[in-house]
């Protein structure tokens, strides 16, 4: 429903009670964001700013939206993936927390983009993206709006790659902060968040036993390390496929078997791509996979699994369970694709745990504040999150766990800053 007095398009406003309970539960695990929200309520650093946020509509995102609203922003939220929207959360955000949401779980491509355009129609001054879809629209069909923008933030690796490509071509229309590149983001969210929630997605979708199975992880970046680590923890025999020799070497020394994807395809039971690249799992692999192989993706876009290649060898498709689609191949094998090749951790599970999103979204909130405060001094570039924000978030997170650490003495500080003090 989209009404004149209140602009939103969600599945069912009656789900707000459930959504609110789950949002408050997640909030208990997000002490850093809570601290920022309390300060924002007093200081209102985002007063008068309209923000178009294109993020997974989850309980953690809801707590970020509450924080931005507390800071004075008008928040318009659309989904960054058609399968990750939690409809009860969308309802609670509209009904209880004063955000305008355009997102419905399972929406088709047309509805997904209609919702992104609806957010852009609100003429934001700040964008907050997860995958650069709003930025894409603003640099394409709506480029006349670029002059209205004072800043933006980007959540994920794939989005940052797209922004840097725009910057390299001299086409970036306003300054954007690469939240993904903050250490308190990718060291933890990409590794521990994606690691845990991806395995959670595979297990919830299939209920297969991971112990003793061969899990093939394609891409050994921050996400891949986390997925491989957690699969190993479940007792899997983990095989890593890489294209970067350094990362491949790291995987080898971390104790994993490393081999080309086509070799891994012959022996793997479960395939998980986390590359940010297209065709990480493609026809040459489908051709040699064992019958019963399970294939999924936890990278940002569904291009990682080449679904056309799978379709080309498929004679029959059948739905086995929610998020599990069987493909019977011409030569009589069965290959099972999870969540239609979309982010398995968000489609079949609930995405990252709140405790890890606490840091990612603390970065988002502080990056937005920084953008609004300093936009006059910034150029049309991709900026890193300032180091003091990163350190402050780490400090707050440790404090919330009751963990204290040591401080450098003056003598140690001097030693570390000198070049002439040896043995
Ligand atoms: N599922 C989630 O919730 C979640 C969370 C964070 C990031 N992501 C996404 O996951 C993807 C990976 O992110 P990251 O931070 O690990 O990136 P990264 O750059 O650290 O790692 C990607 C790795 O994939 C490798 N690679 C690229 N193409 C390959 C190919 N064809 N075959 C094998 N290896 C290949 C690269 O060499 C690199 O080591 C991105 O799309 C990112 O946006 C998803």
């Amino acid at each position: 429903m989209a009404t004149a007095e209140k602009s939103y398009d969600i599945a069912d406003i009656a789900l707000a009670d459930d959504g609110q309970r789950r949002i408050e539960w997640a909030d208990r695990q997000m002490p850093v964001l809570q601290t920022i929200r309390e300060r924002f309520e007093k200081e209102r650093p985002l007063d008068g700013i309209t923000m178009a946020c294109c993020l997974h509509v989850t309980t953690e995102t809801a707590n970020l939206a509450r924080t931005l609203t507390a800071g004075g922003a008008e928040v318009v939220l659309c989904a960054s993936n058609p399968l990750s929207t939690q409809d009860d959360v969308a309802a609670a955000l509209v009904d209880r927390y004063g955000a305008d949401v355009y997102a419905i779980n399972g929406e088709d491509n047309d509805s997904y983009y209609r919702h992104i355009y609806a957010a852009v129609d609100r003429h934001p001054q700040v964008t907050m993206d997860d995958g650069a879809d709003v930025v894409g629209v603003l640099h394409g069909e709506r480029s006349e709006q670029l002059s209205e923008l004072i800043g933006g933030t980007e959540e994920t690796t794939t989005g940052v790659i797209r922004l840097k490509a725009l910057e390299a071509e001299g086409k970036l229309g306003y300054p954007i902060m690469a939240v993904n590149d903050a250490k308190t983001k990718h060291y933890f969210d990409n590794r521990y968040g994606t690691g845990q929630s991806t395995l959670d997605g595979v297990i919830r979708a299939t209920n297969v036993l991971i112990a003793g199975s061969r899990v093939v992880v394609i891409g050994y970046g921050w996400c891949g390390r986390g997925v491989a680590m957690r699969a190993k923890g479940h007792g899997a025999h983990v095989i890593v496929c890489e294209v970067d020799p350094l990362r491949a070497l790291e995987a080898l020394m971390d104790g994993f078997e490393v081999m080309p994807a086509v070799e891994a395809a012959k022996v793997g039971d479960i395939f998980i791509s986390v590359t940010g690249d297209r065709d990480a799992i493609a026809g040459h692999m489908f051709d040699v996979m064992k019958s019963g192989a399970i294939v999924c993706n936890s990278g940002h876009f569904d291009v990682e699994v080449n679904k056309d290649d799978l379709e080309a060898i498929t004679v029959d498709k059948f739905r086995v369970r929610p998020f599990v689609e069987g493909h019977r191949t011409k030569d009589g094998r069965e290959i099972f694709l999870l969540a239609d090749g979309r982010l398995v951790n968000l489609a079949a599970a609930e995405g990252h745990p709140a405790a890890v999103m606490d840091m990612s979204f603390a970065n988002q909130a502080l990056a937005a504040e920084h953008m609004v405060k300093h936009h006059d001094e910034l150029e049309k570039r991709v900026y890193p999150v300032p180091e003091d924000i990163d350190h402050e978030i780490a400090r707050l997170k440790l404090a919330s766990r009751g963990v204290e650490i040591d401080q450098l003495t003056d003598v140690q500080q001097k030693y570390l800053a000198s070049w002439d003090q040896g043995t």
Side-chain angles (χ1 to χ4, degrees):
M1 173 182 41
T3 63
E5 63 280 5
K6 205 168 187 188
S7 301
Y8 58 88
D9 192 12
I10 60 174
D12 185 359
I13 195 89
L15 300 173
D17 274 346
D18 284 348
Q20 184 176 359
R21 270 193 293 275
R22 293 201 313 111
I23 290 166
E24 286 172 1
W25 169 251
D27 199 43
R28 290 185 173 90
Q29 317 284 322
M30 304 182 86
V32 179
L33 201 58
Q34 279 174 26
T35 308
I36 294 168
R37 192 181 313 139
E38 282 158 20
R39 179 171 67 75
F40 273 19
E41 261 161 16
K42 288 188 209 113
E43 298 177 8
R44 309 273 297 175
L46 307 175
D47 245 342
I49 299 290
T50 299
M51 295 185 64
C53 305
C54 181
L55 302 166
H56 300 292
V57 182
T58 61
T59 53
E60 296 79 19
T61 297
N63 286 315
L64 170 61
R66 290 172 66 192
T67 306
L68 302 172
T69 309
E74 187 173 319
V75 174
V76 187
L77 177 65
C78 57
S80 60
N81 185 294
L83 292 186
S84 63
T85 299
Q86 297 169 4
D87 289 324
D88 57 342
V89 169
L93 272 169
V94 170
D95 200 50
R96 312 285 154 86
Y97 299 117
D100 292 338
V101 182
Y102 299 89
I104 299 174
N105 185 284
E107 60 192 326
D108 62 18
N109 220 38
D110 283 352
S111 165
Y112 177 75
Y113 276 100
R114 191 162 44 77
H115 285 156
I116 291 180
Y117 279 97
V120 172
D121 281 345
R122 301 287 291 276
H123 291 269
Q125 291 92 42
V126 173
T127 59
M128 187 173 276
D129 254 313
D130 185 340
D133 275 347
V134 165
V135 165
V137 166
L138 283 166
H139 284 76
E141 261 183 68
R142 294 293 175 82
S143 56
E144 75 278 5
Q145 278 180 239
L146 282 174
S147 58
E148 299 169 11
L149 273 305
I150 60 170
T153 65
E154 170 54 51
E155 170 77 7
T156 198
T157 315
T158 286
V160 173
I161 290 171
R162 293 169 102 186
L163 294 174
K164 288 194 173 153
L166 266 175
E167 183 186 35
E169 288 179 23
K171 292 185 180 155
L172 189 65
Y174 58 101
I176 304 197
M177 203 161 269
V179 165
N180 180 73
D181 296 353
K183 293 191 178 93
T184 45
K185 199 278 182 181
H186 67 272
Y187 279 17
F188 304 96
D189 168 319
N190 299 30
R191 182 165 39 175
Y192 301 108
T194 312
Q196 177 169 320
S197 61
T198 299
L199 266 291
D200 188 18
V202 173
I203 292 166
R204 286 198 209 191
T206 63
N207 199 27
V208 294
L209 183 69
I210 306 289
S213 61
R214 285 199 164 80
V215 173
V216 179
V217 179
I218 302 136
Y220 200 67
W222 289 100
C223 294
R225 291 175 181 119
V227 172
M229 182 203 300
R230 291 297 173 244
K232 185 179 179 180
H234 277 276
H237 176 93
V238 178
I239 299 169
V240 170
C241 306
E242 250 298 344
V243 290
D244 178 333
L246 277 172
R247 294 255 165 109
L249 186 60
E250 189 185 347
L252 190 70
M253 301 245 172
D254 284 343
F256 301 116
E257 206 173 340
V258 177
M259 62 178 79
V262 72
E263 296 306 318
K266 294 175 190 162
V267 294
D269 299 305
I270 301 170
F271 296 82
I272 305 172
S273 61
V274 262
T275 63
D277 193 7
R278 57 171 299 163
D279 304 332
I281 301 177
H284 62 305
M285 297 171 69
F286 291 129
D287 284 345
V288 295
M289 278 181 193
K290 294 189 296 191
S291 188
I294 292 169
V295 173
C296 66
N297 166 49
S298 210
H300 190 78
F301 286 119
D302 62 351
V303 297
E304 302 217 6
V305 178
N306 189 321
K307 289 186 275 183
D308 290 342
D309 285 358
L310 184 56
E311 291 289 338
I313 58 166
T314 296
V315 287
D316 183 28
K317 272 199 287 194
F318 48 100
R319 174 78 35 194
V320 187
R321 310 162 36 109
F323 308 112
V324 185
E325 187 166 58
H327 288 247
R328 191 161 292 113
T329 64
K330 288 173 185 162
D331 57 6
R333 290 171 299 137
E334 289 179 338
I335 295 175
F336 298 98
L337 178 65
L338 307 189
D340 207 24
R342 295 193 184 275
L343 291 160
V344 71
N345 62 331
L346 278 140
E350 292 173 65
H352 295 3
V356 86
M357 294 314 291
D358 188 24
M359 290 186 282
S360 308
F361 285 166
N363 272 294
Q364 284 284 14
L366 297 181
E369 178 187 31
H370 184 88
M371 278 286 168
V372 170
K373 271 193 186 148
H374 299 283
H375 68 93
D376 285 346
E377 304 144 37
L378 300 174
E379 293 164 31
K380 293 172 183 172
R381 282 182 33 212
V382 180
Y383 283 91
V385 172
E387 217 169 86
D388 55 333
I389 290 185
D390 230 351
H391 284 189
E392 178 61 10
I393 291 171
R395 255 195 305 276
L396 287 171
K397 192 70 176 174
L398 284 171
S400 77
R401 296 282 178 108
V403 176
E404 291 175 15
I405 59 170
D406 297 315
Q407 306 285 331
L408 289 173
T409 64
D410 289 345
V411 175
Q412 285 171 325
Q413 270 190 31
K414 205 169 157 206
Y415 175 79
L416 289 173
S418 70
W419 60 270
D420 56 348
Q421 294 188 43
T423 48

